């Protein structure tokens, strides 16, 4: 069975494909796993660029990390458990 020649540019990753290659040397795409009929055109990742607010993205991603609150009750519980464990060890 004769397969069509590989595209010059991989439509999956955009790398150059050697002329007689059976698959893309970079990402492994081939006729069975990803090359389409219109494989001659590489147009990127088709990410939506409409409605993208860069300032909102930066504010959301780079905000300072929020530390969880350590309540006094948890500290007291931890200390009591540690003391109970030490008392159990020392009573042997």
């Amino acid at each position: 069975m004769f397969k069509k020649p590989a595209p010059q540019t991989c439509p999956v990753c955009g790398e150059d494909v050697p002329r007689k290659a059976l698959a893309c040397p970079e990402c492994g795409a081939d006729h069975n796993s990803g090359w389409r009929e219109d494989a001659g055109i590489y147009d990127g990742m088709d990410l939506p660029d409409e409605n993208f607010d860069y300032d909102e993205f930066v504010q959301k991603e780079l905000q300072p990390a929020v530390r969880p609150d350590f309540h006094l009750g948890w500290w007291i519980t931890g200390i009591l458990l540690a003391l109970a464990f030490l008392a159990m060890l020392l009573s042997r």
Side-chain angles (χ1 to χ4, degrees):
M1 179 173 162
F2 179 73
K3 291 190 177 188
K4 295 179 183 177
Q8 292 179 348
T9 304
C10 178
V12 176
C13 68
E15 292 294 320
D16 293 333
V17 179
R19 189 166 60 169
K20 294 190 178 194
L22 298 176
C24 173
E26 185 67 26
C27 71
D30 62 6
H31 287 286
N32 296 326
S33 68
W35 289 341
R36 306 176 310 268
E37 292 295 323
D38 59 345
I41 300 172
Y42 175 70
D43 58 357
M45 294 174 37
D46 296 327
L47 293 175
D49 55 353
E50 301 171 11
N51 303 330
F52 179 74
D53 186 3
Y54 181 74
D55 293 329
E56 180 184 340
F57 170 77
V58 169
Q59 182 181 5
K60 180 182 175 186
E61 292 296 318
L62 300 179
Q63 65 186 350
V66 178
R67 287 184 47 193
D69 292 333
F70 288 104
H71 298 287
L72 182 61
W74 287 111
W75 280 102
I76 293 172
T77 303
I79 292 171
L80 289 175
L81 285 172
L83 289 174
F85 181 73
L86 285 174
M88 187 176 70
L89 287 176
L90 294 176
S91 68
R92 287 186 175 188

